[in-house]
Amino acid sequence: MSDVSAIFGCNVFNESVMQARLPKAVFKALKKTMAEGKEVSREIADVVATAMKDWAIEKGATHYTHWFQPMTGITAEKHDAFISPVEHGKVIMEFSGKELIKGEPDASSFPSGGLRVTFEARGYTTWDPTSYAFVKDGTLYIPTAFGSYGGEVLDKKTPLLRSMEAIDKQAKRILAKFGKNVTRVTTTVGAEQEYFLVDRAMYKQRKDLILTGRTLFGAKPPKGQEMDDHYFGHLRTRVSEYMKDLDEELWKLGILAKTKHNEVAPCQHELAPIFGTTNLATDHNQLTMEMMKKVAKRHNLICLLHEKPFAGVNGSGKHNNWAMSTSDGENLLEPGKSPKDNTQFLLFLAAVIKAVDEYADLLRVSVASAGNDHRLGANEAPPAIISMFLGDELTGILEAIENGEEAQAVKKQFMETGVDALPKFVKDTTDRNRTSPFAFTGNKFEFRSLGSSASIASANIVLNTIVAEELQKFADILDTRDDMDVAVMEIIRDTMKNHKRIIFNGNNYSEEWVKEAERRGLHNLKTSVDAIPAFESEEAIKVFKKHGILSETEVRSRCEILLENYSKTINIEALTMLDMAKKEILPAILNYNKSVFETLKVKQELGLNISVEKEQAYAVKLSNLTESLMSKIEELDKVVLDAKNNNSELEIAKYYRDYVLEAMQTLRMVSDELETMVSSANWPFPTYVDLLFYV
Ligand code: ADP
Ligand code: MG
């Protein structure tokens, strides 16, 4: 392993590179942009572009690309060489400020949810100076925002940056009330990423993994995750080598990859970075996912980022740790030594409580996808019901305020091991609640409902926007009051009175909670199709418009894209199943039928005094299941074909959820049962045992 501090960020045009390579005035101006969101002038861009290009060429780059995040949820890039022709058939390497600031990918084929028709192809990318450029595979990557000729936003970065500005504006108003004038408030995120690794050679034999990222067939293996022996278990050599390689690649890109460990399911793992600003964390999470896949191939592995690659064992998610922080480094969600006396903290906390309660449905939409539907509510990830865990201490303080009582300080306790030789330390005042979708974990909230393959942008756009909204309301109230202290307590008390239903410190996986949540009037939007329409509800459109995040048209188009994605995903899965069932499973089973029936026939013809009773029963069962498989194939074929007979995107999505998924499930059940009967030699592709327990 190389010297980590020497390689860290070596491919990033970060502040130290800027400082070394830019004239002082330019560096200062750029820093101001990064810290305060001030616009960059063309002159400055010219100087930065040249410095970037020279640096990138030294790193072996020949091209540059405007790297953007369209509505596909992944990133997009188009590479241009730095070359520019000069006399005598020669070229020089050039890169101007204009090229740095603006790009124009022909963008007609990105999802726009009806915002543009194909002939209106113009799309622009705009440099985002708040995220660092970097070199990867011989190209200079410039993080950019993406919008259409008509000005509509077509990406995930623009609304994210806007939502960060909204929260900055409102949080500063609140802080001013506490006598603090800070330059900027940013939201910070640490995104823990779960993933699976499987053997590449086996993966290549599974069309379902190749085309859909998850197994659509596969009988339950004799061993799953029931022994709890994989979680935090020692790392297989192959995996540990992969992780080392991955860390190194991420560090070179300036990504603070910090923690790595085995997860619950066999061949499932996790990587957590040290948190950064939401903008950077979002870019970095995209890069992390990309590098996870790339590095895996070098080790003859494949990284699966799907939310549910295997039935019967846990799927993968992403934990979005979120907080707000000032330019002076103060974490606004840090309760401090005595949370009950920290009114500023309690006020920010109240804003989050109110936001999550009022816009729980929007948070649910922000994590909605066909893949994530397999996890939420399946007792391996939080339920689809959004609630908040605050722990006993904070809940106690807030309840005391609500009831006008004196809050009790919680005594610090020491960790007692009963062994004198072990060092003592102060315990946290609350345990963690692993079942909660939105848990306060000491000095940040952990939003745990995100799917593993999703961009974290959507969740953070919603989170930032709704918290900005509540902070604004609080600041508006405080503007009208001279008695700050009383007013703040009133706000906290009212928030508790009206929104405490969102706080739940118990077991989110229990049946009782489902009933209790219903009694409290909380949403239980079980599937993506139930959730997505909330995105274009009156309240949602209002809050996005008010804070300048998305226009009504943009919201509606995003809603359409979500529904379309849902239906398309299931359609591809259904077609892949049909392909595998018809071309691989059925022929294999017919072959196996033949050998079973031939054996039976031979035995019967011999006329020996032997019993073939069991063999006959076996043959009949096999034959019946084979028949059943054929009819399930026919049914799925028909159901998929009929999908187009629905009118709206919502109707289509509902149809896929109610009929296509159902038909897929019954086909799978029959096939999985057959898998348990058929000889290994006859089964056409690697089984769950092969995939989950590779060496
Ligand atoms: P776990 O949830 O697995 O126990 P930790 O509590 O150690 O993990 O941290 C989870 C993640 O939270 C890490 O990525 C860490 O950087 C991030 N984190 C810590 N503080 C903050 C913060 N103020 N804002 C955002 N993320 C944070
Ligand atoms: Mg976590």
Side-chain angles (χ1 to χ4, degrees), residues 606-671:
L606 280 174
L608 297 174
N609 186 21
I610 48 171
S611 164
V612 287
E613 201 186 319
K614 294 262 189 273
E615 276 168 280
Q616 255 173 355
Y618 182 79
V620 169
K621 186 178 174 197
L622 180 67
S623 181
N624 286 343
L625 275 171
T626 308
E627 270 290 299
S628 175
L629 184 75
M630 290 199 242
S631 53
K632 298 302 169 207
I633 291 174
E634 273 173 22
E635 281 165 30
L636 181 57
D637 242 335
K638 187 174 169 328
V639 169
V640 172
L641 218 68
D642 285 348
K644 62 176 181 311
N645 298 335
N646 293 280
N647 291 321
S648 66
E649 280 302 339
L650 183 61
E651 289 307 312
I652 297 172
K654 277 186 182 158
Y655 180 89
Y656 273 98
R657 178 193 63 188
D658 297 337
Y659 299 99
V660 181
L661 274 181
E662 179 72 31
M664 284 164 63
Q665 193 48 36
T666 41
L667 170 58
R668 176 179 183 150
M669 267 165 60
V670 179
S671 168

Side-chain angles (χ1 to χ4, degrees), residues 127-400:
W127 174 36
D128 167 19
T130 66
S131 182
Y132 298 129
F134 54 92
V135 165
K136 185 163 70 70
D137 297 334
T139 295
L140 168 67
Y141 281 72
I142 299 152
T144 60
F146 177 48
S148 79
Y149 180 74
E152 287 98 357
V153 176
L154 296 173
D155 71 347
K156 295 193 178 235
K157 185 186 269 275
T158 314
L160 182 69
L161 291 174
R162 288 175 175 174
S163 72
M164 289 176 74
E165 286 189 357
I167 222 167
D168 166 56
K169 195 165 145 196
Q170 304 306 337
K172 278 195 303 214
R173 286 180 64 199
I174 299 278
L175 286 172
K177 304 282 174 202
F178 287 91
K180 294 180 186 170
N181 278 313
V182 301
T183 322
R184 198 161 174 86
V185 173
T186 41
T187 53
T188 49
V189 164
E192 302 166 61
Q193 175 75 46
E194 290 179 338
Y195 61 98
F196 278 83
L197 289 176
V198 294
D199 182 79
R200 190 177 183 186
M202 286 189 222
Y203 165 91
K204 278 181 162 169
Q205 297 172 59
R206 302 255 339 192
K207 276 190 198 151
D208 47 3
L209 286 180
I210 294 172
L211 296 175
T212 73
R214 74 175 179 113
T215 52
L216 299 166
F217 295 101
K220 201 173 173 312
K223 180 177 192 251
Q225 64 190 40
E226 57 277 75
M227 300 296 284
D228 296 325
D229 52 353
H230 194 255
Y231 192 50
F232 285 13
H234 73 90
L235 304 172
R236 274 182 261 207
T237 313
R238 204 167 159 196
V239 171
S240 140
E241 277 165 7
Y242 163 79
M243 287 178 167
K244 276 184 202 151
D245 204 3
L246 176 63
D247 276 340
E248 198 164 324
E249 290 299 334
L250 296 176
W251 290 336
K252 282 190 210 161
L253 289 169
I255 297 170
L256 291 156
K258 167 96 175 160
T259 310
K260 52 187 181 185
H261 61 83
N262 282 348
E263 258 300 329
V264 173
C267 73
Q268 190 187 28
H269 315 281
E270 183 181 299
L271 181 148
I274 295 174
F275 69 98
T277 66
T278 306
N279 179 30
L280 214 55
T282 307
D283 286 359
H284 281 178
N285 183 249
Q286 289 286 0
L287 277 173
T288 301
M289 292 195 285
E290 188 188 320
M291 293 317 291
M292 279 180 164
K293 290 188 166 185
K294 220 175 230 167
V295 173
K297 288 190 184 150
R298 284 190 216 151
H299 296 260
N300 277 321
L301 293 165
I302 292 287
C303 170
L304 302 175
L305 291 174
H306 194 283
E307 284 75 18
K308 195 72 183 175
F310 302 100
V313 295
N314 280 13
S316 300
K318 201 139 38 187
H319 289 176
N320 190 82
N321 295 272
W322 178 94
M324 292 169 269
S325 188
T326 71
S327 38
D328 301 333
E330 180 186 357
N331 177 358
L332 300 176
L333 292 179
E334 173 60 58
K337 285 209 161 58
S338 178
K340 73 180 176 61
D341 305 311
N342 189 344
T343 45
Q344 181 194 302
F345 160 73
L346 292 173
L347 190 62
F348 278 100
L349 182 67
V352 184
I353 295 172
K354 188 158 182 266
V356 175
D357 185 38
E358 284 183 346
Y359 298 98
D361 53 348
L362 260 189
L363 283 171
R364 171 67 184 89
V365 185
S366 78
V367 299
S369 70
N372 214 16
D373 278 3
H374 298 288
R375 303 171 56 240
L376 300 182
N379 288 1
E380 56 169 271
I385 307 162
I386 301 285
S387 70
M388 261 174 134
F389 167 82
L390 289 184
D392 296 338
E393 184 182 18
L394 288 183
T395 310
I397 293 170
L398 293 169
E399 278 171 350

Side-chain angles (χ1 to χ4, degrees), residues 457-676:
S458 308
N460 287 296
I461 292 168
V462 169
L463 202 44
N464 293 344
T465 306
I466 61 178
V467 174
E469 165 69 10
E470 307 305 347
L471 290 175
Q472 180 176 39
K473 283 188 189 147
F474 290 179
D476 287 349
I477 296 174
L478 294 178
D479 275 348
T480 64
R481 302 279 294 257
D482 300 324
D483 49 348
M484 248 285 280
D485 293 349
V486 180
V488 168
M489 279 304 160
E490 274 175 23
I491 291 175
I492 297 169
R493 195 192 59 213
D494 290 349
T495 303
M496 272 307 273
K497 277 213 161 80
N498 300 322
H499 302 285
K500 67 174 170 211
R501 63 170 187 171
I502 200 73
I503 300 167
F504 178 62
N505 294 333
N507 178 8
N508 283 255
Y509 292 176
S510 70
E511 245 331 286
E512 295 81 70
W513 170 232
V514 177
K515 290 192 202 110
E516 168 65 13
E518 194 180 340
R519 208 185 50 73
R520 293 190 191 184
L522 299 180
H523 296 280
N524 185 359
L525 302 165
K526 288 196 184 120
T527 68
S528 295
V529 187
D530 298 312
I532 295 167
F535 197 38
E536 50 181 359
S537 70
E538 215 175 292
E539 301 78 50
I541 290 174
K542 202 168 131 198
V543 77
F544 284 128
K545 253 167 76 175
K546 183 171 165 195
H547 296 276
I549 316 295
L550 292 168
S551 70
E552 178 168 351
T553 336
E554 286 161 350
V555 168
R556 292 202 190 280
S557 71
R558 261 153 222 257
C559 202
E560 184 136 337
I561 293 171
L562 280 174
L563 287 168
E564 248 175 41
N565 269 347
Y566 178 87
S567 303
K568 281 181 187 166
T569 303
I570 298 174
N571 189 52
I572 293 169
E573 289 178 351
L575 295 180
T576 306
M577 273 192 113
L578 286 167
D579 190 277
M580 290 170 81
K582 288 182 202 172
K583 294 188 190 154
E584 298 181 59
I585 300 172
L586 188 59
I589 284 167
L590 289 175
N591 235 331
Y592 184 63
N593 266 273
K594 193 169 156 225
S595 71
V596 169
F597 278 90
E598 267 172 2
T599 311
L600 184 62
K601 188 170 162 231
V602 169
K603 283 195 178 179
Q604 280 170 328
E605 280 174 1
L606 280 174
L608 297 174
N609 186 21
I610 48 171
S611 164
V612 287
E613 201 186 319
K614 294 262 189 273
E615 276 168 280
Q616 255 173 355
Y618 182 79
V620 169
K621 186 178 174 197
L622 180 67
S623 181
N624 286 343
L625 275 171
T626 308
E627 270 290 299
S628 175
L629 184 75
M630 290 199 242
S631 53
K632 298 302 169 207
I633 291 174
E634 273 173 22
E635 281 165 30
L636 181 57
D637 242 335
K638 187 174 169 328
V639 169
V640 172
L641 218 68
D642 285 348
K644 62 176 181 311
N645 298 335
N646 293 280
N647 291 321
S648 66
E649 280 302 339
L650 183 61
E651 289 307 312
I652 297 172
K654 277 186 182 158
Y655 180 89
Y656 273 98
R657 178 193 63 188
D658 297 337
Y659 299 99
V660 181
L661 274 181
E662 179 72 31
M664 284 164 63
Q665 193 48 36
T666 41
L667 170 58
R668 176 179 183 150
M669 267 165 60
V670 179
S671 168
D672 287 359
E673 188 170 356
L674 277 162
E675 187 193 320
T676 65

